[in-house]
Amino acid sequence: MEKLKPGETLEIRLNSGEPLHNVPRSLAEHGYTVEMRGPERIDQPEGIHRIRVTK
């Protein structure tokens, strides 16, 4: 994350639950723009989710 240059974007995969709650919040607190992309599989909303982070 620290190596991202301003304007660069990174997509992150997170498990639902605590990581999905804590990681985006922490990134936003550090000045990143976080876009929630939703679950990878619509039939598994409690599975892996994707977020897009921009510095």
Side-chain angles (χ1 to χ4, degrees):
M1 295 297 305
E2 295 85 26
K3 293 183 180 184
L4 282 180
K5 296 175 184 166
E8 287 188 321
T9 300
L10 176 68
E11 190 164 287
I12 301 173
R13 299 173 70 226
L14 298 170
N15 289 323
S16 62
E18 202 169 311
L20 189 60
H21 176 74
N22 291 335
V23 172
R25 180 177 43 88
S26 178
L27 289 169
E29 288 173 358
H30 285 92
Y32 294 91
T33 300
V34 179
E35 178 186 350
M36 303 303 286
R37 304 295 292 173
E40 287 189 343
R41 294 184 53 177
I42 295 172
D43 63 332
Q44 294 181 348
E46 297 301 319
I48 303 295
H49 287 251
R50 293 179 297 133
I51 65 171
R52 185 170 291 160
V53 179
T54 304
K55 185 166 187 174

